[in-house]
């Protein structure tokens, strides 16, 4: 028998069912997770695959996680062996060079097997951030120099076998974590989400049959590949190169060079990181899978941004990074602080903006200004490690102002940790949280604003700032102005005041920290901005009356 013929209605029903299965998995994970970075921030990626390991649906989450799932699932299945995967199995993978992330981004995947047979019909994958897994430091590792300082490693280890937990592995996790209840709670939340997906995908195959579902998947992926190819053909053709710098690697203060060349030609979209720094001692090296995931975010944004993603959408994309370099980490290179991918996403867009300035915005604030407090909760005595990624401004575009403050564009649906959660679960009290006037780059279309956050500590502990772009400003376009870069000021107003980027700082009761996140770059000559828009900016607090006069030439 040949492949069945499916009509458009059937295609859309099956496709929507797969997307709905991923979204239901997301709901199950959020409802049952123990860790605020999962249930508040959405620091996860959820993906559904066919039996050939092709992405067929995904849920909202961190966009770079979703791209990384594809790479890690293939590596995990290759390591375990598809012949060794059975109904009810769940595999844990966090080996960074296969997992396409650092050790705390725990990937768990499961085969989907038809209920009444042993026929493998697909795979499900969930990646979520765990808060502690035996690394040398609690919370985040900022200055590791090899992988073995970054936590216990699972190369592809069954935590459930044929539907039953593997108690020895669960106990190994328990005894290697400073916060075992949180970690095991999140493990079980991922299990619950995977089981939800298994039921929904199995129901689809039961209702329509494997032949029909497989035919729909082929058709949907082929159609996505065709549209991605058409989008690449419609882009300006050429090759463009851009450079930028990371502040440091967390071990030395030396800046780190990043270089990318993007080429659009002959139906392909090639991203080549030749000329970037060799791998560095500190933990900012990116595994190749994480580099590919970053490139996928940029590629999808300029080709098919409004479509539900599947494997076909990336058919024209090619990524090159030499082994042993910053963008292709190899054992035992340290990889924990992966803010490199955030800055690299802006770098790719910076290169593209040279060839397609009418399609690209100026740089956002350029980074994800992250922070965390680690300590002991005064009410329970339990250790806590709770983090937040602060918003930045987005860059001005050829047609409108940048938004902001907003989460960095690499984070899609991710959210900030609410102040109420941070204050109740840590020793931080927030004295101020406000939009920063004049923080967006000036332009005909200005960049969105950053924010200011003042923190006072009410319990002792450690404050971790995680940020890699404080020394170089976000870039502007078409005559717009650059905003000031991100800043972290510890102990402001005292004789200990100084600025840091990525640093672990011991804090006592009464100590303070100020975070100033960058606005987006401006687009176009500020003097050509509509005077009424400038006056509205002043009235709303985005621009000061002085800047309106001196920069825009408008009396507000």
């Amino acid at each position: 028998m040949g492949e069945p013929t499916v009509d458009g209605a059937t295609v859309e029903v099956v496709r929507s069912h797969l997307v709905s299965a991923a979204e239901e998995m997301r709901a199950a994970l959020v409802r049952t997770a123990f860790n605020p970075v999962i249930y508040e921030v959405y620091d996860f990626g959820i993906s559904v695959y066919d039996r050939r390991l092709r992405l067929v649906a995904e849920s909202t989450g961190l966009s770079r996680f979703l791209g990384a799932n594809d790479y890690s699932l293939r590596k995990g299945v290759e390591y375990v062996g598809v012949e060794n995967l059975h109904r009810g199995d769940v595999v844990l993978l966090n080996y960074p060079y296969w997992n396409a992330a650092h050790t705390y981004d725990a990937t768990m995947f499961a085969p989907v097997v038809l209920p009444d047979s042993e026929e493998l019909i697909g795979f499900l994958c969930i990646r979520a951030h765990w808060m502690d897994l035996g690394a040398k430091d609690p919370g985040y590792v900022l200055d590791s120099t090899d992988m073995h300082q970054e936590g216990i490693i699972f190369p592809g280890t069954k935590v459930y076998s044929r539907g039953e937990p593997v108690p020895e592995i669960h106990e190994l996790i328990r005894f290697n974590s400073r916060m075992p209840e949180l970690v095991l709670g999140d493990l079980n939340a991922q299990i619950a989400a995977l089981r939800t997906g298994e039921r929904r995908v199995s129901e689809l195959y039961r209702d329509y049959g494997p032949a029909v579902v497989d035919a729909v998947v082929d058709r949907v992926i082929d159609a996505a590949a065709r549209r991605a190819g058409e989008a690449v053909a419609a882009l300006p053709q050429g090759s463009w190169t851009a450079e930028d710098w990371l502040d440091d690697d967390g071990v030395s203060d030396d800046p780190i060079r990043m270089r990318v060349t993007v080429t659009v030609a002959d139906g392909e979209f090639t991203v080549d990181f030749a000329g970037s720094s060799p791998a560095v001692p500190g933990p900012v090296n990116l595994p190749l899978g994480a580099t590919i995931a970053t490139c996928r975010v940029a590629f999808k944004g300029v080709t098919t941004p409004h479509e539900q993603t599947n494997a076909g959408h990336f058919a024209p994309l090619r990524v090159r990074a030499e082994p042993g370099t910053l963008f292709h980490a190899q054992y035992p290179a340290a990889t924990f602080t992966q803010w490199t991918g955030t800055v690299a996403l802006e770098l790719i867009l910076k290169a593209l903006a040279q060839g397609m300035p009418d399609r690209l915005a100026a740089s956002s604030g350029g980074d994800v200004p992250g922070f965390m407090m680690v300590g002991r909760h005064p009410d329970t005595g339990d250790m806590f490690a709770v983090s937040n990624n602060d918003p930045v401004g987005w860059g001005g575009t050829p047609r409108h102002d940048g938004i902001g403050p907003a989460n960095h564009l690499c984070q899609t649906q991710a959210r900030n940790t609410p102040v109420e959660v941070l204050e109740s679960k840590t020793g931080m009290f927030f004295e101020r949280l406000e939009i920063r006037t004049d923080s967006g780059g000036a332009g005909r279309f200005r960049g969105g604003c950053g924010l200011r956050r003042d923190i006072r500590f009410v319990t002792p502990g450690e404050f971790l700032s995680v940020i890699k772009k404080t020394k170089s400003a976000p870039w502007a376009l078409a005559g717009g102005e650059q905003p000031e870069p991100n800043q972290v000021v510890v102990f402001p107003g005292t004789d200990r005041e100084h600025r840091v980027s990525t640093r672990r700082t011991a804090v006592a009761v009464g100590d303070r920290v100020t975070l100033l996140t960058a606005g987006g770059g401006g687009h176009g000559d500020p003097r050509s901005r509509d005077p009424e828009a400038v006056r509205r900016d002043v009235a709303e607090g985005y621009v000061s009356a002085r800047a309106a006069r001196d920069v825009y030439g408008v009396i507000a």
Side-chain angles (χ1 to χ4, degrees), residues 414-462:
R415 308 186 300 187
N416 307 120
T417 308
V419 166
E420 295 83 357
V421 172
L422 291 168
E423 289 188 337
S424 65
K425 292 184 176 293
T426 76
M428 293 185 285
F429 177 78
F430 295 89
E431 296 182 321
R432 178 187 297 189
L433 180 59
E434 64 185 23
I435 291 175
R436 295 177 57 214
T437 301
D438 292 335
S439 57
R444 180 168 183 263
F445 295 106
R446 61 167 178 78
C449 291
L451 60 75
R452 173 174 178 161
R453 189 187 291 263
D454 289 351
I455 304 171
R456 175 167 54 86
F457 299 96
V458 296
T459 65
E462 291 183 302

Side-chain angles (χ1 to χ4, degrees), residues 46-117:
I46 298 174
S47 312
V48 180
Y49 298 85
D50 72 354
R51 69 184 85 211
R52 294 164 57 187
L53 300 177
R54 297 181 301 175
L55 176 69
V56 297
E58 62 183 17
S59 171
T60 52
L62 284 177
S63 53
R64 285 169 54 215
F65 273 18
L66 295 164
N69 281 358
D70 296 7
Y71 189 91
S72 56
L73 177 64
R74 290 182 179 277
K75 289 293 186 179
V77 171
E78 178 184 333
Y79 177 76
V80 177
V82 68
E83 70 279 3
N84 297 317
L85 291 169
H86 310 286
R87 185 197 327 277
D89 287 355
V90 177
V91 178
L92 170 63
L93 169 64
N94 76 332
Y95 182 57
Y97 319 107
W98 295 350
N99 190 38
H102 63 196
T103 52
Y104 282 12
D105 290 334
T107 296
M108 296 174 66
F109 67 87
V112 184
V113 180
L114 280 177
D116 299 325
S117 72

